[in-house]
Amino acid sequence: MPEEVASSIVQKDPSYQLIDVRNADEFAKFSLPGAINIPLESIMNEENIDLLNQDVKTNIFYSNGSLQANEAWMLTRQLGYKNNYVLMGGLNYWVESIMNPQKPSSVSSDEEMAKYNYQKAAGRALGSDPSAINSDSSSVIQTNTVKSTVPKTESKKKKKVSGGCS
């Protein structure tokens, strides 16, 4: 989940390794803090085996959407590498949920508000400037866009019970 990844970045958790599988040009324009770049076409190169086939760090693959990251995960999984995962929704969802979260409505649950506040704080802690990212978002969002659907939970306010037992 992007919130978990944001938390690991903010806390500088050494047990996570972010791996951007986009090409070097896209990586140079924008990447997540601390990420390394292994383009998808290089994922199976011999020099990457020790990084991808280990049980010390949790590798998180990401791309703009999820398509290339899922391909990297499938390739490594077929080889029996087990400590690799995919960032849900990729950078598209990251920008949407961490760097530019939508404020819930005033009737949202406390849980929704807490999630929003956490996302805003994580975005600030990571130095996000949504206007800077959105102004050059074509490089972040254009290639392999796979829109992640996040189910929205509805919060229903409880009605006061009137009357009672006599």
Side-chain angles (χ1 to χ4, degrees), residues 80-163:
Y81 304 172
K82 295 182 179 164
N83 215 21
N84 299 300
Y85 298 88
V86 173
L87 176 63
M88 183 181 82
L91 288 177
N92 294 337
Y93 187 64
W94 179 270
V95 169
E96 180 183 308
S97 67
I98 301 298
M99 299 182 81
N100 196 17
Q102 296 299 309
K103 186 173 184 173
S105 69
S106 60
V107 294
S108 295
S109 68
D110 290 342
E111 183 179 309
E112 288 285 320
M113 286 304 293
K115 181 178 177 181
Y116 169 75
N117 289 331
Y118 178 81
Q119 290 168 326
K120 284 288 273 188
R124 280 193 303 272
L126 294 171
S128 72
D129 178 2
S131 63
I133 296 302
N134 290 336
S135 67
D136 190 27
S137 62
S138 60
S139 65
V140 176
I141 299 175
Q142 195 172 32
T143 310
N144 293 324
T145 302
V146 176
K147 189 73 173 171
S148 172
T149 55
V150 179
K152 298 201 178 204
T153 56
E154 289 186 22
S155 173
K156 295 184 180 181
K157 296 224 176 196
K158 293 182 182 178
K159 293 181 180 179
K160 282 190 172 182
V161 177
S162 60

Side-chain angles (χ1 to χ4, degrees), residues 19-21 37-49 51-52 61 68-69 71-76 79 81 84:
I19 302 174
D20 189 326
V21 297
N37 183 225
I38 304 176
L40 181 59
E41 58 273 2
S42 304
I43 205 82
M44 302 311 295
N45 289 359
E46 193 172 319
E47 69 263 13
N48 297 322
I49 292 173
L51 178 70
L52 300 173
F61 294 126
Q68 289 179 316
E71 287 180 50
W73 178 82
M74 285 189 288
L75 287 169
T76 58
L79 292 171
Y81 304 172
N84 299 300

